[in-house]
Amino acid sequence: MIMKCTPLLFFLLSVVTGWSQDLHIHYDVARDSVAYIRGGKSVPNAEVKRGQQVVIHVQNYNNYLYDVRLEVEKEKIDIAEKTGVASGARSGLGTALNMILGATGSGIGLSKLLPFGGSEQILGMVDRPGSAERKAREAQAAALVSAMDLQFREGARLESLLNGLEEETRLALESVKLAHFAHDELYRIRLDPLLSPDQIRTMAREYALIVFGEADPEKITLEAIRRIPDPRAGLVTLVNDYRLQWQQYRTVILKLDSLQHRIAQYDLPESNLVEVLADADLKKTRMSAKARAVQTNLESLEKAVAEAPGLGPDRLVPLRTLFTALMNNSFSKSYPYEATGETMVFRITLHAIDTSRASSVVEKKLNPVKVSVIGGIRITTSIGLGFSQFFRPPHQYFVRDSIIRSTKKDDFLPQLTSFLHFYYPRASMISWGGSVGVGMPLLGGEGLESISFLIGPSMLIGQKNRVIVTFGLQGGRVARPSSGFDVGDQFPGDPNLFTTESHYQLGYFLSANINLSGS
C-alpha cells in the first residue's frame, strides 16, 4: 500500500515545492523578450503564490546611459568584428602616408648611373701617345670619376635604407594612431546608445587587445602594463634614424656636386667625359628630388610625433580600471517584490542619466509585465442558461375514475441561472473553483416555488475568465400527492378536491454563464 502511494506523494511534494519557490522575471531590453524562471526552470506563465517573492531582472540594457524606473500596480477584482571604424581608420591612415611617402615612386635606380666599365674605358684612353702632362690630367679625371661612382653606390645604399625606414615608420605611425584610436574608443563605446551591451563587450575586448595586447582583464596587471612599450617611443627612434640617414644622403649629394664640378674643369675632347657628366647630372637631379621628398615626409612625421601623446602607465592604468569595470558590468538590475494583491503589473521605464545627451538618448517605455498572484480566493458573479434533471423524474398528478394517476414531465428543464463563484485564479486559460447559485425555470414555473438551488464546481475559461461552465447538484421542489396518497390509490372524493404538495428533490445541472466582473 505504501509503495503504491509513494509516486503520488512525490508528485504532491513536487507541486507544493514548486509553488513555494520565488518567481524570477528576466526582461531582456536589447531583445525585448521576457522569460519566467521558477526553481531554475523556465515556466510558461507569470504566476506566483501570495507571500512569495517576485524578482524583476531588467537586463541587457546600457546602465551607463539609462537608469531604471519601475512602477508596480496592484489590480484587485471587485465583485460586480574588428570594427569597421578601426578598419576605416587604418585605411585612411595608409592613404595619408602613401601621399607623404610615395612621392618619389619606387626608387631612383642608382645602379644604372654608370653603365660603363672602368675609368680608362670611359675616357677612351687606351695606350694613346701624348705628353706626360696630358696623361696626368687624364689620370686625375679618371680618379675623380671613380670617386663619383663610389658616391653613387653609397647613395644607392642609403636610398635602400631610406625606403625601408619609410615603410617601418609608416607602420609605426599607423600603430601609434591605432592604439590611440582604440584608447579613445574604449571610453566612447560605453556611451553609444546604438550599441547593445553584447556589442560593447565584444568591441571593448578588440580594443583592449590592441592597446594592452591582452583581452582578459585578469591578465592585465600593473606589472604587465609596466612591460608594455610605448609605441610613440619606438616611432621617435625610427624618425631619428630616418633623419640621420637623410642627412647622410644629402652629404652624398653635396659630394657629388663637388666631384661633378671638379670633373667639369678637365678639357678632354677625345674622351666620353661629357656624356658621363650629363648622365651623372640626371641621376643627381633625381637624388635631390628624393631628398626633398624625404625632408617633407620627415617634417610631417615629426609634427605627428609631437602631437601624439604617449601611452604610458599614467594613461594605461585608468584605462585598465575602466576596461575591468566594463567587463564586470552585468548591465542589469534586480528588484524584489513580495507578491500581494491579485494581479501585479510592472511598468518599466528607462530614462537618460545625462540629460545633456537627450538628443541621442531618449526615454524608453518597455512593455508592461503582468503577474497573477495565486493564493487568495476571488469571488465573482455570473448569469447564464442551464439545463437540469432530477434523479427521479417529476410527474403531473390527477384523478380519473376515482384513481390517482400521473404522467411524466420533460426529462430536462431549461432554466435561467445565476451564481456566486469562489475560485483561485491562474495565469493559464482555465481556472477552477466552486459555485453556489439559483435557477429559475424558463417554462412551466410556479413562481418562487420553482426556484432551484445549485451547488458544484466551476470551470472559468479564458485569460479574463469571461466564460464559466458550472455543473453539480441541484435541489428543487416537485409536486407529490398530498394527505399520504400515492399513484394508484383510490380517491373517494370529488376529483376537483385532489391536491398536491411540494417536496424538495435532488438532481443535477449543467450551466454556461457569462462572468459579470471578469478577472
Side-chain angles (χ1 to χ4, degrees):
M1 181 65 180
I2 295 177
M3 295 298 293
K4 292 181 178 180
C5 295
T6 300
L8 179 60
L9 292 175
F10 274 113
F11 172 75
L12 294 175
L13 181 61
S14 64
V15 172
V16 173
T17 303
W19 276 106
S20 65
Q21 294 171 332
D22 299 334
L23 176 67
H24 292 260
I25 301 175
H26 297 263
Y27 200 120
D28 191 313
V29 176
R31 297 179 176 84
D32 195 21
S33 62
V34 182
Y36 309 112
I37 306 295
R38 183 185 294 111
K41 297 181 179 180
S42 178
V43 293
N45 301 313
E47 53 186 15
V48 65
K49 189 176 180 181
R50 178 171 293 175
Q52 297 296 323
Q53 291 287 312
V54 179
V55 185
I56 299 289
H57 303 275
V58 184
Q59 58 192 34
N60 211 10
Y61 79 99
N62 192 337
N63 52 15
Y64 292 109
L65 296 177
Y66 297 100
D67 197 7
V68 177
R69 182 178 298 157
L70 182 60
E71 299 177 356
V72 183
E73 299 177 5
K74 297 178 182 179
E75 297 181 354
K76 186 175 181 180
I77 303 303
D78 299 325
I79 298 181
E81 100 191 275
K82 295 185 179 177
T83 67
V85 177
S87 177
R90 291 193 296 271
S91 175
L93 177 62
T95 302
L97 286 172
N98 289 336
M99 293 175 62
I100 295 173
L101 304 179
T104 60
S106 60
I108 298 174
L110 292 175
S111 61
K112 298 181 180 179
L113 174 62
L114 299 175
F116 36 75
S119 58
E120 296 290 338
Q121 293 180 3
I122 297 169
L123 299 176
M125 299 180 294
V126 183
D127 296 330
R128 285 195 309 273
S131 65
E133 181 181 355
R134 179 182 178 84
K135 291 182 178 181
R137 287 172 58 81
E138 290 175 349
Q140 292 172 358
L144 291 174
V145 171
S146 295
M148 186 171 63
D149 181 43
L150 290 175
Q151 291 301 318
F152 275 121
R153 293 180 186 276
E154 176 64 11
R157 185 187 68 83
L158 291 173
E159 184 177 354
S160 178
L161 286 175
L162 286 170
N163 289 336
L165 285 171
E166 284 176 1
E167 179 64 16
E168 288 185 53
T169 307
R170 182 185 70 81
L171 294 175
L173 181 58
E174 179 180 343
S175 178
V176 169
K177 291 191 175 184
L178 185 59
H180 283 282
F181 173 80
H183 173 279
D184 296 342
E185 281 294 285
L186 269 172
Y187 282 94
R188 187 196 68 82
I189 58 174
R190 62 196 181 98
L191 301 178
D192 191 333
L194 300 180
L195 297 177
S196 69
D198 289 340
Q199 291 171 325
I200 292 174
R201 289 193 190 94
T202 299
M203 296 174 69
R205 282 190 290 266
E206 293 177 353
Y207 294 140
L209 189 60
I210 294 172
V211 176
F212 299 107
E214 178 59 61
D216 184 357
E218 300 297 327
K219 296 181 180 179
I220 307 175
T221 62
L222 291 177
E223 179 61 23
I225 290 177
R226 189 183 66 81
R227 293 196 301 266
I228 296 176
D230 188 347
R232 182 178 179 274
L235 178 61
V236 170
T237 301
L238 283 172
V239 172
N240 289 338
D241 193 15
Y242 193 39
R243 173 171 285 279
L244 178 62
Q245 301 302 325
W246 170 71
Q247 290 172 344
Q248 293 180 7
Y249 192 67
R250 289 184 64 228
T251 300
V252 169
I253 295 175
L254 293 174
K255 290 181 178 180
L256 287 171
D257 281 337
S258 176
L259 289 169
Q260 192 175 10
H261 179 73
R262 291 171 63 187
I263 294 172
Q265 302 300 318
Y266 292 90
D267 184 14
L268 300 172
E270 297 180 0
S271 68
N272 63 345
L273 194 61
V274 174
E275 290 81 358
V276 170
L277 289 174
D279 189 49
D281 187 64
L282 178 61
K283 304 303 182 183
K284 184 171 65 65
T285 300
R286 292 177 181 176
M287 289 178 66
S288 298
K290 173 66 176 180
R292 287 192 298 272
V294 171
Q295 182 180 9
T296 302
N297 189 27
L298 263 173
E299 292 172 354
S300 300
L301 287 172
E302 289 173 342
K303 181 180 179 181
V305 170
E307 293 176 350
L311 279 180
D314 59 324
R315 298 188 70 197
L316 294 182
V317 170
L319 186 67
R320 169 219 184 197
T321 302
L322 179 141
F323 175 63
T324 302
L326 189 150
M327 297 307 294
N328 291 333
N329 189 351
S330 65
F331 292 98
S332 64
K333 200 168 185 179
S334 299
Y335 301 86
Y337 288 91
E338 183 180 352
T340 58
E342 297 178 346
T343 300
M344 302 177 73
V345 182
F346 297 91
R347 301 188 185 276
I348 306 171
T349 304
L350 302 180
H351 65 93
I353 295 176
D354 185 1
T355 55
S356 65
R357 300 173 59 89
S359 59
S360 58
V361 182
V362 296
E363 185 176 271
K364 296 181 180 180
K365 291 186 177 181
L366 308 182
N367 295 324
V369 179
K370 288 190 176 184
V371 177
S372 296
V373 181
I374 309 301
I377 296 179
R378 296 188 188 179
I379 301 175
T380 187
T381 57
S382 69
I383 188 170
L385 295 175
F387 294 91
S388 63
Q389 184 181 34
F390 290 101
F391 293 120
R392 181 181 174 184
H395 288 72
Q396 182 176 3
Y397 299 93
F398 57 92
V399 176
R400 180 185 298 169
D401 299 331
S402 299
I403 296 176
I404 299 175
R405 305 176 186 273
S406 68
T407 59
K408 184 179 177 182
K409 291 187 176 181
D410 294 332
D411 288 335
F412 291 96
L413 179 66
Q415 55 185 350
L416 180 68
T417 59
S418 179
F419 288 96
L420 190 65
H421 303 276
F422 307 86
Y423 67 101
Y424 290 92
R426 297 180 62 87
S428 59
M429 296 297 292
I430 296 178
S431 298
W432 291 92
S435 305
V436 294
V438 295
M440 176 70 72
L442 295 178
L443 300 173
E446 298 179 2
L448 294 178
E449 290 190 357
S450 300
I451 292 178
S452 299
F453 297 95
L454 313 173
I455 185 171
S458 294
M459 181 173 62
L460 295 88
I461 303 173
Q463 205 165 27
K464 298 282 188 180
N465 296 332
R466 294 299 187 188
V467 178
I468 304 175
V469 176
T470 306
F471 57 93
L473 296 175
Q474 74 160 354
R477 288 181 175 271
V478 295
R480 291 283 187 270
S482 60
S483 303
F485 288 103
D486 203 352
V487 175
D489 292 345
Q490 292 282 340
F491 187 76
D494 186 352
N496 293 324
L497 298 177
F498 174 76
T499 60
T500 59
E501 56 189 11
S502 296
H503 293 268
Y504 278 101
Q505 184 173 311
L506 288 176
Y508 55 91
F509 72 93
L510 175 65
S511 178
N513 295 59
I514 299 299
N515 193 340
L516 296 181
S517 59
S519 177

